Amino acid sequence: MADDNYLTSPPKLSTMPPGVPYIVGNEAAERFSYYGMNSILTIFMTKYLLDKMGHLSVMQPANAEAWYHTFVSTLYFLPIFGAILADAVFGKFKVVFWISIVYCLGHLTLALMGSAVAHVIEPRYLLAVGLVLIAIGAGGIKPCVSTNVGDQFGESNKHLLTRVFNWFYFSINAGSAFSTLLIPWLLEPGSIWDWLRNLLPASVADFLVSPRLHSPDVAFGLPGIFMAIATVVFWMGRKKFVHIPPVGLRTYGREIFNKQTGKIILNVLMPVPFIAIFWALWQQNFSSWIVQAESMDRHLFGIEWLSSQIQTVNPIFILIMLPLFSYWLYPFLEKFVRLTPLRKIGAGLFVTAASFFLVAMIQTRIDAGARPGIIWQIWAFVILTAGETLVSPTHLEFSYTQGPVKLKSLIMCTYLLAVSLGNVFTAAVNFIIQNPDGSVKLQGTSYFMFFVWVMLGTAVLFAIISPFYKGRTYLQDQARVSGEAEPAIGFAVQPEA
């Protein structure tokens, strides 16, 4: 079907748009693939990385953490290029579909580290190439998928936008919750899956514990299969969802560099440096928190958990907290104080500092020679997830609604830029603290307390500055538009107080 036969404006509905289930389903499968790979990356580099001869060639924890956060920061910086291609040149659908194929190739390259190819090509090279392809793939589609959700809504169903962004975030965590349980087990056998042996036929049980099932090619390959599924689901929905036409590079350039847009972009960038520090802390549940869990007693509920599986509680807590906050906590607090997006974000920054303070106290016990129970880190995850619920979906919605119609994908990059800058900060810290002899300058409790103080200072400064922000909301007009037409700018809402 020709492009001009696709919907180019939101249908005039008061209910959920028909394209949303395809976009949310695509996101759930894509997040399974990303978080599955992401959950084992640090532990793979510190425990399982081999050289071409098949000998262990692992990285020290600080080095692995530094390179992990470098990968994440690159991934979250690249969306700016995907946004320009989507908004100005090809449109969101084509960018998401074709770059998703690159994404699949990245997973395939990582899977080759567990194959015979790793005896011909150095596994570290395969790791680097695979992560570059995944960074291009995941980074390229990031500003497009979430803005594609917002594109489905107009004036008649705008009241559903906050709810659908929360469900969009819910799908992300549903996909990641399952993958962070399953994928670490495919790399390291044991833990929660062992009890299945007593319930299944012997042949199936033997297969579940066979060494062939638990290997890097399977652990990195299964996320690639889910990424392929995500691509197919997205393609299936092409006739259901709205395709906002690209505006062309000339129009795009004029839109970016006019005075009004420049002021809007500066406004939207205001919270980014502060939220970046939130991500500098949050992202460490995939790095320093996993390393800490290696030194803890992980026996809980009769199961010996893997250190890379503990992070599963984060998406599980998100699935609980999102509806709890949306349908109970926020309405309750609104009776006493107006909850603007920036007030939610500010509260989340202080909460996040508290989570790292608890992790620092856990590390103090470890440094003293104790082996504290993993339940203490799970409590830290409860606090961290509360901070995430306040900050991340709020900033996601904020970034979309504050962007002019023709620059939605580019403005969404401000959300992703915060993640990138936060990981740049954490990577830089981990590179700087390494000494030539392999020791580190910030060790044990002092490492975590450094981030506590940085977060507290950031939260206080944000609380001082944020009341001065004045913003507007922009949504798609519901008149049919073409690439050459000028969509309406939308409507204004109350400024932040």
Side-chain angles (χ1 to χ4, degrees):
M1 181 177 283
D3 286 358
D4 58 3
N5 288 326
Y6 291 137
L7 290 170
T8 60
S9 62
K12 294 183 178 180
L13 302 171
S14 60
T15 56
M16 199 66 71
V20 167
Y22 292 92
I23 301 172
V24 173
N26 161 266
E27 184 71 0
E30 187 272 330
R31 291 290 83 186
F32 177 99
S33 76
Y34 175 74
Y35 280 109
M37 175 279 303
N38 193 58
S39 67
I40 61 173
L41 196 51
T42 300
I43 209 71
F44 174 80
M45 291 188 290
T46 56
K47 290 180 66 175
Y48 293 93
L49 184 61
L50 306 176
D51 61 19
K52 193 163 61 174
M53 302 302 295
H55 303 136
L56 276 177
S57 180
V58 298
M59 301 181 188
Q60 292 300 312
N63 197 31
E65 290 172 28
W67 283 112
Y68 166 76
H69 289 285
T70 300
F71 157 68
V72 177
S73 66
T74 303
L75 188 156
Y76 281 91
F77 177 76
L78 289 175
I80 189 171
F81 300 104
I84 293 170
L85 291 174
D87 282 344
V89 185
F90 300 113
K92 298 182 185 73
F93 174 77
K94 290 180 180 178
V95 168
V96 172
F97 181 74
W98 290 108
I99 294 185
S100 291
I101 295 174
V102 176
Y103 200 161
C104 293
L105 292 175
H107 284 292
L108 174 62
T109 305
L110 292 184
L112 293 177
M113 290 189 295
S115 71
V117 175
H119 296 296
V120 179
I121 302 175
E122 192 68 43
R124 289 193 181 215
Y125 297 155
L126 292 172
L127 177 65
V129 171
L131 292 180
V132 167
L133 292 175
I134 288 175
I136 293 171
I141 71 175
K142 272 187 178 301
C144 307
V145 178
S146 53
T147 54
N148 213 13
V149 174
D151 287 348
Q152 311 309 305
F153 292 83
E155 180 71 33
S156 62
N157 54 3
K158 67 182 182 183
H159 60 284
L160 297 174
L161 190 60
T162 297
R163 185 169 298 179
V164 82
F165 268 114
N166 277 334
W167 282 110
F168 181 73
Y169 209 70
F170 188 95
S171 74
I172 291 174
N173 288 278
S176 65
F178 183 51
S179 67
T180 50
L181 269 181
L182 176 61
I183 301 304
W185 174 74
L186 292 176
L187 182 66
E188 303 180 270
S191 74
I192 189 172
W193 302 92
D194 284 350
W195 64 272
L196 287 173
R197 283 183 289 183
N198 300 322
L199 305 176
L200 298 171
S203 58
V204 177
D206 290 341
F207 171 74
L208 288 175
V209 295
S210 65
R212 186 64 195 89
L213 182 62
H214 305 280
S215 60
D217 55 336
V218 176
F220 286 117
L222 185 60
I225 293 172
F226 270 82
M227 187 59 226
I229 293 171
T231 306
V232 171
V233 170
F234 186 74
W235 178 83
M236 289 171 62
R238 69 196 184 283
K239 298 178 183 179
K240 299 288 187 180
F241 50 70
V242 176
H243 297 241
I244 302 299
V247 298
L249 283 172
R250 183 174 297 178
T251 302
Y252 198 67
R254 287 200 305 265
E255 191 74 16
I256 291 175
F257 294 108
N258 73 49
K259 292 181 180 179
Q260 181 184 3
T261 302
K263 289 178 182 181
I264 292 169
I265 291 175
L266 287 175
N267 270 350
V268 177
L269 284 173
M270 186 279 291
V272 167
F274 304 96
I275 297 173
I277 301 301
F278 160 79
W279 289 111
L281 276 68
W282 184 91
Q283 200 75 44
Q284 291 188 57
N285 78 84
F286 293 103
S287 57
S288 63
W289 287 35
I290 291 179
V291 173
Q292 182 186 75
E294 285 283 296
S295 301
M296 299 179 72
D297 178 5
R298 300 187 302 277
H299 191 80
L300 188 65
F301 306 129
I303 298 166
E304 186 65 30
W305 297 83
L306 300 171
S307 58
S308 52
Q309 286 179 317
I310 305 305
Q311 62 200 273
T312 303
V313 300
N314 171 249
I316 291 173
F317 291 150
I318 276 286
L319 297 179
I320 296 169
M321 289 186 186
L322 273 176
L324 187 66
F325 279 42
S326 295
Y327 295 105
W328 181 79
L329 181 61
Y330 293 158
F332 174 76
L333 292 178
E334 281 281 4
K335 297 176 181 178
F336 308 99
V337 61
R338 180 168 168 254
L339 286 180
T340 66
L342 295 186
R343 284 175 178 171
K344 292 179 188 176
I345 290 169
L349 300 183
F350 283 103
V351 172
T352 303
S355 72
F356 255 67
F357 180 75
L358 179 53
V359 167
M361 295 302 97
I362 295 169
Q363 192 62 45
T364 299
R365 294 190 60 197
I366 294 173
D367 294 345
R371 191 173 171 84
I374 199 63
I375 190 66
W376 288 104
Q377 196 183 82
I378 291 174
W379 279 115
F381 267 108
V382 171
I383 304 171
L384 182 70
T385 306
E388 179 187 0
T389 306
L390 288 162
V391 173
S392 186
T394 307
H395 191 210
L396 184 68
E397 180 189 353
F398 174 87
S399 299
Y400 179 82
T401 59
Q402 299 298 295
V405 168
K406 287 182 285 189
L407 299 178
K408 287 297 186 187
S409 294
L410 185 65
I411 295 299
M412 280 302 296
C413 287
T414 62
Y415 170 86
L416 303 168
L417 178 63
V419 185
S420 177
L421 292 176
N423 280 274
V424 167
F425 181 79
T426 303
V429 169
N430 277 278
F431 277 124
I432 291 170
I433 65 175
Q434 296 179 54
N435 296 316
D437 63 358
S439 61
V440 292
K441 300 180 183 74
L442 280 176
Q443 198 159 10
T445 303
S446 61
Y447 175 87
F448 292 109
M449 284 304 302
F450 168 79
F451 284 96
V452 171
W453 290 115
V454 169
M455 186 77 266
L456 281 175
T458 301
V460 170
L461 189 58
F462 183 79
I464 295 171
I465 292 176
S466 61
F468 295 98
Y469 179 81
K470 298 293 183 288
R472 296 186 65 183
T473 291
Y474 303 86
L475 294 179
Q476 304 294 350
D477 188 15
Q478 290 181 302
R480 181 176 173 85
V481 296
S482 66
E484 294 76 28
E486 296 287 330
I489 276 189
F491 51 89
V493 295
Q494 298 182 65
E496 293 294 330

